Amino acid sequence: MQNKFAIRVVLAAIVALSAVAAIAQGRYQISADGREVEDRRSTLTWARCAEGMDWNGKICLGKLVQLPYPLALRHVADGASRGAGGWRLPTVKELATLAQPREADVDAGIAAIDPAAFPNTPPLRFWTSSVAGPHYYMYVSFKDGESGENSRSMAAAIRLVRDKK
């Protein structure tokens, strides 16, 4: 129980720091085709749209993929919807750096994430690769920017990341 509390305290601190850091101009570099976002601070490259959605030149549209954890892993392993390799589920620390609670407006359907870099992100839980215990994995919620743990049988959304090439 103390371990879970300590994890949540650390994650809350990461989210708070990342929210302040994300406000700085020039943090994100959008790829020429608009499908990827490079985070200049972490040097990670993010899929601009959540899995199941696609960049149409202006916004992410389509049917969001929400899967239980084992199927999410299979989805990523099967190449997801990407032609290029190297995509993976982010760690909870990596994904938490994108959370911006100040951006959230649940009533308006606006997620706790930079809307210019990651447009039309649904305010839902997104899986990470971080383990929380037997049969439990960590998520980051873009409803409010908080992190937590889900049973692997629960469905959550997927945002892919890869290390800079």
Side-chain angles (χ1 to χ4, degrees):
M1 186 65 114
Q2 290 177 345
N3 227 4
K4 288 181 183 179
F5 178 75
I7 289 172
R8 289 190 177 147
V9 169
V10 169
L11 292 175
I14 290 169
V15 169
L17 290 173
S18 65
V20 172
I23 295 170
Q25 291 184 355
R27 175 177 175 181
Y28 300 120
Q29 174 68 42
I30 310 299
S31 66
D33 66 2
R35 296 180 184 277
E36 298 176 4
V37 177
E38 180 187 336
D39 183 340
R40 291 179 174 161
R41 288 219 169 99
S42 68
T43 69
L44 293 172
T45 299
W46 294 91
R48 194 167 192 189
C49 300
E51 284 299 292
M53 302 176 84
D54 196 34
W55 180 248
N56 76 351
K58 294 183 182 185
I59 197 164
C60 296
L61 295 175
K63 185 164 173 51
L64 177 75
V65 171
Q66 294 185 79
L67 298 169
Y69 196 80
L71 294 178
L73 288 178
R74 179 173 296 198
H75 179 82
V76 174
D78 288 345
S81 61
R82 308 286 179 247
W87 293 104
R88 60 180 173 79
L89 286 177
T91 66
V92 70
K93 288 180 183 180
E94 290 169 339
L95 192 56
T97 66
L98 299 183
Q100 295 184 27
R102 291 182 188 175
E103 297 291 343
D105 184 347
V106 177
D107 294 334
I110 299 171
I113 193 169
D114 185 318
F118 304 98
N120 210 22
T121 294
L124 300 171
R125 293 175 176 180
F126 282 72
W127 282 123
T128 74
S129 61
S130 301
V131 177
H135 309 292
Y136 287 87
Y137 294 86
M138 302 295 294
Y139 67 81
V140 172
S141 172
F142 289 105
K143 175 181 177 183
D144 52 19
E146 292 188 7
S147 301
E149 57 192 54
N150 252 0
S151 165
R152 68 186 199 144
S153 63
M154 302 295 292
I158 303 166
R159 180 172 309 277
L160 298 179
V161 68
R162 71 174 175 220
D163 298 310
K164 188 175 179 180
K165 293 180 179 181

